[in-house]
Amino acid sequence: MRIHRLEISAFGPFAGTEEIDFDRLSAHGLFLLNGATGAGKTSVLDAICFALYGSVPGARQEGKRLRSDHAEAGAEPRVTCEFSAKGRHFEVSRTPAWNKPSARGKNGFTEQKANTLLRERVDGTWVEKSGRNDEAGAEITALLGMDRDQFTRVVMLPQGDFAAFLRSKAADRLALLQSLFGTQRFEAVEQELGRKAAAARAEVETLNGELALLVARAGTEAAGLGIDPDGGSEDVSQDDPAALLDWYGREAEAAGAARRAAARDADAAAADLSARAESLAARAARQARLTAARQRRELAEAAAPDLRTAEERLARHRKAEVLGGHLDTLDGATAAEDRAGEAAQAAATVLHAAAATDPELAALPDLAPHQGGPDPAALRSGVTRLRSLRAVLAERMPDEERLAALRTRSAGLHRDVERLTDTGTATAARLEALRADALGLRHALAPLEEAAADLQLRVKEADAADELVAVVKRHAAAAEDCDRLAERRRVARDTHQDRRQAWLDLREERLANAAAELAAQLHPGEPCAVCGSPDHPAPAPLAASALTIADAEQAAQAAAEAAEAVLEDLDRELADARQHLAVLAAQGGDAALEDALSDAGRARERAAEATKAAADLEAARNRCEGLDEEISALEDAGEDSAAELARTRAAVVEVDTQAAELDATLLGLRSGHPGLAGRIAAVDSAVALLEDADAAAVSLAQAQARTAEARERLEQALPAAGFDSANAAREMLLSAREAANLEAAVRAGRDETARLEELFAGEDLVLAAAELADQGPVPAGALEQLRSESVAALDAAREAGVSAGLAASSARTLAGLRSRYSELAEAGREPRERAALLTAVAEAARGGGDNSYRMSLNSYVLAARLEQVADAASERLIGMSDGRYTLQHTDAKASRGQKSGLGLEVVDLWTGQRRDTATLSGGESFMASLSLALGLADVVQMESGGVDIETLFVDEGFGSLDEQSLEQVMDALEGLRDGGRVVGLVSHVAEMKQRITTQLQVVKGRNGSTLHISDEVPA
């Protein structure tokens, strides 16, 4: 990759546009990049890196700070780099994100996004390749074969890093080498191995915990059986869990067998006692049943006479009960006849009383009473006549309802006529008033429309005028700030110049007094350190104390630097203030405040007048529209009301005529009642009285017939039942409850006799009588004692069974635990071996364990890289050191257990000795570190796929070399130009300026830095 041209605008310390023709510099192969401290030498390298990769190395990566603080507020920062690679020619132009002043923005700035343009020169014409930041960056990275970090290591050699790297301890070189070669993946492998080893160990720990838990559970089970490995007859070691589990199993089986035998003996004893207790209990129960049966038989024999009397009384009741139905029928019929007579007499009385007052009943003939009541035929004839009259009245009921509806409608129509007449009058008056209001509003619209036509324009003018007043005020305040800052900057600049001049004067004085300092160290007969002569004819006199001058120079330098820092701060503040002032001026802030206030007041007045006119116009228009709608609605309503009034008056005449005709027709049918419903109610009441009297007469006749029939049947049944009269039969009858009680008593006596005969014939009582005669009664307390002994035996047998079951369960549990322990132990063999292997590998990769060199995997890879770098560096160091020194990597074991593998030694070919790099002098250290940097560039270039680097930059550090060493280093750098390579050296050394005539000079100024190319031989 070769750089042809670089153009920098408003970037870093460069306020304007600076262009570097690298083809002109390349013509000489070697050029010097020099300038004062802080002038911007590093910014040139940053600009190249930013153009290619869109970012800069180190802590300056924040894009918005890349823009020059010296540039004008509206100047766009941009870097353009023209380069060639792999036989192709490209140009990339990038702009970082920055804030551009805005005439409209509220904050005065508009953020501009970063942008990129990549072009390729094809057949003499630039062809655009990409306009996207990420896409252009990816294409350049692929083209150069290096990312940004690799580019900064290979093309821009960081000399200071390698000087520190050269003198550092072996362990301290790890971080730098890892950052240069990117071996984090090997460190990740170390960490991953450590994680896997820890996981494998955790798995083994978990498995061991499960095995220990199984042994503990087995011990708990064995302890429940009273098995103690410390007190057993067999010698068992608790350090062998498998053997201990086997011993637990054998002991548990033995304990279970003993407990099962004890349980069988206890069951046999309990069964014998239980059988004896049951036999004695059965004998006592039989004797008790025999005693109870004898007592029941004695009671039955004593109740036998009463039972025979009850049987005879019940038999007489059964005979009388045969006539009970006839007697009950006669009694019921007689009572019904009496009730029917009373009801017939009451109905006749009510009917005659009603006939005296009811015209409907009075008009009926033949209702006079005979033999206690009216004639039934006359009653039925009256009912028929009244029902016919009711049917006629019911048919005319709708006419009466229609008459009521006509009268109701007539009243409503009369009210509607009055309402419609009043509504028409009010509508006409309201309509006339609305028409007058509408006419007046239309005359007032024209002047309001004219006044409201410019409302938007007036409001915008008022807002713009108010905003201008605010801008003018801010502009005035900003101008005052600028004036104050400018005055402070002027004072600070004068102070800085004065203090800097004082410092320079003191430095000149110190330099002038250097000869006197050297003369003060001369002694007679001793050779001069400068010329080597032992004679000192005229030593320079000491003008003043060197220590005093040096202290004064340091104090003056500190004061000058402090004044410079204050000046730089004021420069930044003044630039920001001027940029803000320019933004406000662009927004019109330089106008007169009085004029702006006056214009704003007038604009607000015009806007207020236009706003009020617009509001009044809108209200008037809305009112007119409302009046028009209301007038139209009232006109329609008036027409509808007049038509409805005419229709209502015609309906009134028609309804009144129909009501009069229908009322005349119904008058005769009412017969003095208010309405037909009243006469129908009177007819229904009369019909009800007639029907009641007829029903009562019919019921009386039927009751008399039933009574006669019941008396005849009873007279016929008395002889067959054995009774002379009905009263004799009634005396023998019992109530149902008394009969049921007698029958139950007789039946219970007979049943008790039968049960006693059956009971005494049963085997239990026969056996009980024989046992009582042979063995006598059961002794008192014998049965309870035997039962207590049986219960105790059963409890003992149950406890023995439970104990045997627990022993069997414990034996099964112990067998399962032994089996599970064997399975887990077998399954854990492979995880243990894997954990041991992973732990050993992880420890070795970490630099521990069997790794005698204490070298981690990451260090091992970096040691190989360091060996390559040392070999490549030695090729250049031999030439720079006049064939004396080479660099050699060493993996010798470090002392006191420190990690090894990254050691670096200097081989002195003149003496054949090896020594530490820290023993090199300042100039030798510079040559060694420069060789390391160049060797690293070669190694990284090889790792990047053999990328051809045609432009190379070497950083500061030449001031520590003597003349001969500088000559040798320059010869080595001259060798870098072989094959057309261009080398740029960054240095302040005056000797370098004399030796290298082609120079890229960075000139620092108060308004920013500038660049110049000088390729003339100095006089």
Side-chain angles (χ1 to χ4, degrees):
M1 188 274 292
R2 177 183 289 274
I3 300 175
H4 300 285
R5 184 178 65 88
L6 182 68
E7 183 178 302
I8 307 173
S9 296
F11 184 88
F14 306 106
T17 299
E18 306 294 332
E19 183 173 355
I20 304 174
D21 186 358
F22 277 96
D23 287 336
R24 178 180 172 185
L25 296 172
S26 301
H28 301 274
L30 188 66
F31 68 91
L32 182 67
L33 175 59
N34 64 13
T37 300
K41 298 186 297 297
T42 304
S43 295
V44 174
L45 305 183
D46 288 347
I48 296 174
C49 191
F50 177 76
L52 295 176
Y53 295 99
S55 61
V56 298
R60 297 184 293 277
Q61 292 187 32
E62 181 143 1
K64 292 184 179 179
R65 297 303 304 163
L66 295 178
R67 186 183 179 277
S68 175
D69 295 331
H70 299 283
E72 294 293 334
E76 179 186 42
R78 179 175 296 276
V79 177
T80 301
C81 181
E82 186 178 341
F83 66 96
S84 59
K86 296 182 180 180
R88 301 166 66 184
H89 201 92
F90 292 89
E91 180 191 79
V92 60
S93 180
R94 289 186 188 266
T95 298
W98 65 292
N99 292 326
K100 179 181 179 180
S102 172
R104 291 187 171 182
K106 292 183 179 179
N107 297 323
F109 296 93
T110 302
E111 184 177 357
Q112 303 295 309
K113 302 296 183 181
N115 61 76
T116 302
L117 176 61
L118 177 63
R119 302 192 300 172
E120 182 179 5
R121 193 171 186 83
V122 180
D123 297 331
T125 304
W126 288 110
V127 178
E128 182 175 340
K129 300 291 291 181
S130 175
R132 290 177 49 183
N133 298 328
D134 53 350
E135 187 178 84
E139 185 162 352
I140 292 174
T141 301
L143 184 67
L144 300 182
M146 296 178 287
D147 58 19
R148 190 200 68 183
D149 292 337
Q150 291 174 323
F151 181 83
T152 56
R153 296 170 196 153
V154 175
V155 178
M156 302 173 181
L157 303 182
Q159 194 64 30
D161 291 345
F162 284 96
F165 175 79
L166 185 69
R167 293 185 176 89
S168 62
K169 297 180 180 179
D172 297 334
R173 296 190 177 106
L174 178 67
L176 178 59
L177 286 174
Q178 186 168 344
S179 66
L180 292 174
F181 288 101
T183 59
Q184 290 82 358
R185 61 187 183 278
F186 297 101
E187 189 173 9
V189 170
E190 295 177 23
Q191 296 173 356
E192 181 62 23
L193 286 173
R195 285 193 292 269
K196 289 187 176 181
R201 290 194 298 272
E203 182 181 359
V204 171
E205 289 297 327
T206 302
L207 182 62
N208 291 337
E210 293 180 3
L211 292 175
L213 180 61
L214 291 176
V215 174
R217 287 179 57 191
T220 302
E221 288 289 338
L225 298 177
I227 301 173
D228 185 4
D230 296 330
S233 60
E234 186 177 348
D235 187 13
V236 181
S237 174
Q238 297 192 14
D239 295 333
D240 187 358
L244 181 62
L245 290 176
D246 291 338
W247 182 78
Y248 279 153
R250 293 193 299 273
E251 291 295 315
E253 289 293 340
R259 292 188 182 187
R260 285 193 295 273
R264 287 193 296 270
D265 295 342
D267 286 341
D272 179 61
L273 286 174
S274 178
R276 290 169 55 193
E278 289 178 359
S279 176
L280 187 62
R283 176 184 167 192
R286 287 194 295 271
Q287 290 183 4
R289 285 196 295 274
L290 177 61
T291 302
R294 286 175 177 176
Q295 292 176 352
R296 287 174 60 188
R297 185 170 60 182
E298 293 175 357
L299 292 175
E301 291 174 351
D306 295 335
L307 182 62
R308 287 192 293 273
T309 301
E311 289 177 346
E312 294 174 356
R313 179 73 178 87
L314 186 61
R316 289 193 299 272
H317 166 72
R318 296 299 184 195
K319 292 180 179 180
E321 193 176 22
V322 174
L323 299 176
H326 296 290
L327 293 172
D328 292 340
T329 301
L330 178 59
D331 293 340
T334 303
E337 181 181 357
D338 294 339
R339 290 194 298 273
E342 293 175 358
Q345 184 63 37
T349 303
V350 172
L351 178 62
H352 287 300
T357 58
D358 191 346
E360 305 294 342
L361 292 174
L364 297 177
D366 301 328
L367 290 182
H370 66 283
Q371 295 181 358
D375 184 12
L379 291 174
R380 287 190 286 275
S381 174
V383 169
T384 301
R385 288 185 60 187
L386 290 177
R387 284 178 175 171
S388 299
L389 176 60
R390 189 188 185 288
V392 172
L393 294 174
E395 288 179 358
R396 300 306 298 270
M397 278 296 293
D399 292 339
E400 191 169 63
E401 293 175 359
R402 189 160 63 87
L403 176 60
L406 289 173
R407 287 174 176 172
T408 301
R409 185 182 176 193
S410 176
L413 290 173
H414 281 288
R415 290 193 298 272
D416 290 342
V417 169
E418 294 177 1
R419 176 180 56 79
L420 290 172
T421 302
D422 295 340
T423 300
T425 303
T427 299
R430 177 62 179 164
L431 188 59
E432 185 65 25
L434 289 176
R435 287 171 178 167
D437 291 344
L439 182 60
L441 281 174
R442 287 192 176 87
H443 287 308
L445 285 178
L448 291 176
E449 290 175 348
E450 182 178 356
D454 298 333
L455 174 60
Q456 293 184 351
L457 177 61
R458 301 305 181 193
V459 172
K460 289 181 179 179
E461 289 176 351
D463 293 341
D466 290 339
E467 185 175 357
L468 180 60
V469 170
V471 170
V472 169
K473 291 180 179 180
R474 293 201 298 271
H475 181 272
E480 293 177 0
D481 292 341
C482 283
D483 292 341
R484 285 195 298 270
L485 286 172
E487 179 60 24
R488 289 174 59 194
R489 179 186 177 281
R490 185 189 63 77
V491 174
R493 182 187 61 192
D494 294 342
T495 302
H496 171 251
Q497 291 176 349
D498 294 342
R499 291 181 179 179
R500 179 177 176 80
Q501 188 60 46
W503 170 50
L504 293 176
D505 292 342
L506 286 172
R507 187 175 67 173
E508 286 295 329
E509 183 179 354
R510 182 180 61 79
L511 293 176
N513 203 38
E517 293 180 8
L518 290 174
Q521 300 175 4
L522 295 177
H523 298 284
E526 295 183 1
C528 176
V530 179
C531 65
S533 173
D535 298 327
H536 317 298
L542 186 62
S545 172
L547 181 60
T548 303
I549 296 175
D551 292 342
E553 180 188 0
Q554 291 180 358
Q557 182 180 2
E561 290 175 353
E564 184 178 11
V566 172
L567 180 61
E568 289 176 354
D569 292 340
L570 288 173
D571 284 339
R572 285 192 294 271
E573 292 182 17
L574 181 59
D576 292 340
R578 285 176 176 171
Q579 183 176 358
H580 182 52
L581 184 65
V583 171
L584 294 175
Q587 296 175 355
D590 53 355
L593 179 60
E594 294 78 7
D595 296 341
L597 290 172
S598 177
D599 294 342
R602 289 193 296 272
R604 284 194 296 272
E605 291 176 358
R606 290 194 295 269
E609 293 173 357
T611 301
K612 183 177 182 305
D616 294 343
L617 177 61
E618 182 67 18
R621 285 176 175 171
N622 293 337
R623 178 59 179 159
C624 282
E625 291 177 359
L627 288 175
D628 291 341
E629 292 176 358
E630 191 173 358
I631 289 171
S632 178
L634 285 175
E635 289 175 349
D636 295 340
E639 294 176 358
D640 295 341
S641 179
E644 187 178 359
L645 179 60
R647 289 194 298 271
T648 304
R649 285 174 175 169
V652 167
V653 175
E654 181 179 359
V655 169
D656 288 346
T657 301
Q658 292 177 1
E661 293 174 354
L662 190 58
D663 185 42
T665 302
L666 296 175
L667 184 61
L669 293 175
R670 295 192 188 101
S671 185
H673 291 278
L676 293 181
R679 190 176 182 191
I680 289 175
V683 170
D684 289 341
S685 178
V687 169
L689 290 174
L690 293 174
E691 289 176 345
D692 291 343
D694 183 34
V698 171
S699 297
L700 178 59
Q702 293 174 351
Q704 290 172 349
R706 286 193 294 271
T707 301
E709 181 181 1
R711 187 175 290 111
E712 182 180 358
R713 290 177 179 176
L714 178 61
E715 294 295 335
Q716 294 175 356
L718 283 173
F723 292 99
D724 297 334
S725 63
N727 290 332
R730 283 192 176 94
E731 290 177 357
M732 292 295 105
L733 284 175
L734 296 173
S735 66
R737 184 175 182 179
E738 291 174 342
N741 291 337
L742 283 177
E743 185 175 2
V746 171
R747 187 183 302 112
R750 293 172 180 173
D751 292 343
E752 178 68 9
T753 301
R755 282 195 295 270
L756 287 173
E757 292 176 356
E758 182 181 358
L759 185 62
F760 278 98
E763 294 180 359
D764 284 350
L765 295 187
V766 173
L767 179 60
E771 291 174 344
L772 188 62
D774 295 340
Q775 303 176 13
V778 175
L783 180 60
E784 291 300 325
Q785 181 179 359
L786 192 58
R787 282 177 175 173
S788 298
E789 294 175 356
S790 176
V791 169
L794 286 174
D795 291 340
R798 188 180 301 108
E799 291 178 358
V802 171
S803 177
L806 290 175
S809 176
S810 296
R812 288 193 299 273
T813 301
L814 287 170
L817 292 174
R818 178 65 180 93
S819 176
R820 178 59 179 162
Y821 184 90
S822 299
E823 293 175 359
L824 282 178
E826 181 63 26
R829 181 177 293 110
E830 182 178 352
R832 288 189 180 91
E833 294 174 354
R834 182 171 179 269
L837 176 61
L838 285 174
T839 300
V841 173
E843 283 295 314
R846 190 177 59 84
D850 296 335
N851 191 336
S852 59
Y853 278 92
R854 309 283 293 170
M855 185 186 300
S856 66
L857 177 62
N858 188 31
S859 299
Y860 178 78
V861 175
L862 292 176
R865 293 291 188 268
L866 181 58
E867 186 173 2
Q868 293 176 326
V869 172
D871 292 342
S874 295
E875 296 180 4
R876 291 182 171 81
L877 182 57
I878 288 178
M880 295 183 188
S881 63
D882 198 16
R884 180 176 182 180
Y885 294 118
T886 62
L887 292 174
Q888 185 170 344
H889 162 256
T890 176
D891 56 1
K893 186 175 180 181
S895 60
R896 294 189 295 276
Q898 295 183 358
K899 291 186 177 181
S900 308
L902 297 179
L904 200 61
E905 294 178 337
V906 174
V907 180
D908 190 343
L909 298 179
W910 290 1
T911 64
Q913 298 296 318
R914 302 172 183 267
R915 51 193 176 97
D916 194 281
T917 54
T919 61
L920 293 175
S921 64
E924 292 171 342
S925 295
F926 169 75
M927 290 188 291
S929 61
L930 177 61
S931 300
L932 274 176
L934 296 173
L936 173 72
D938 293 339
V939 174
V940 175
Q941 181 175 341
M942 284 191 303
E943 286 195 349
S944 301
V947 178
D948 189 12
I949 305 299
E950 299 181 65
T951 304
L952 189 67
F953 294 91
V954 181
D955 203 348
E956 185 68 78
F958 299 93
S960 60
L961 302 177
D962 56 28
E963 182 176 358
Q964 181 180 357
S965 299
L966 179 60
E967 184 69 28
Q968 294 168 347
V969 170
M970 291 301 298
D971 290 341
L973 293 176
E974 289 287 345
L976 295 178
R977 296 190 298 177
D978 295 343
R981 180 179 291 178
V982 179
V983 180
L985 305 180
V986 182
S987 177
H988 299 85
V989 178
E991 179 66 20
M992 299 288 287
K993 298 180 183 178
Q994 295 295 325
R995 294 181 59 91
I996 303 175
T997 59
T998 303
Q999 300 179 8
L1000 176 60
Q1001 299 174 348
V1002 185
V1003 181
K1004 179 169 66 174
R1006 297 184 182 276
N1007 296 322
S1009 298
T1010 57
L1011 292 170
H1012 303 285
I1013 294 178
S1014 173
D1015 52 3
E1016 297 179 357
V1017 178

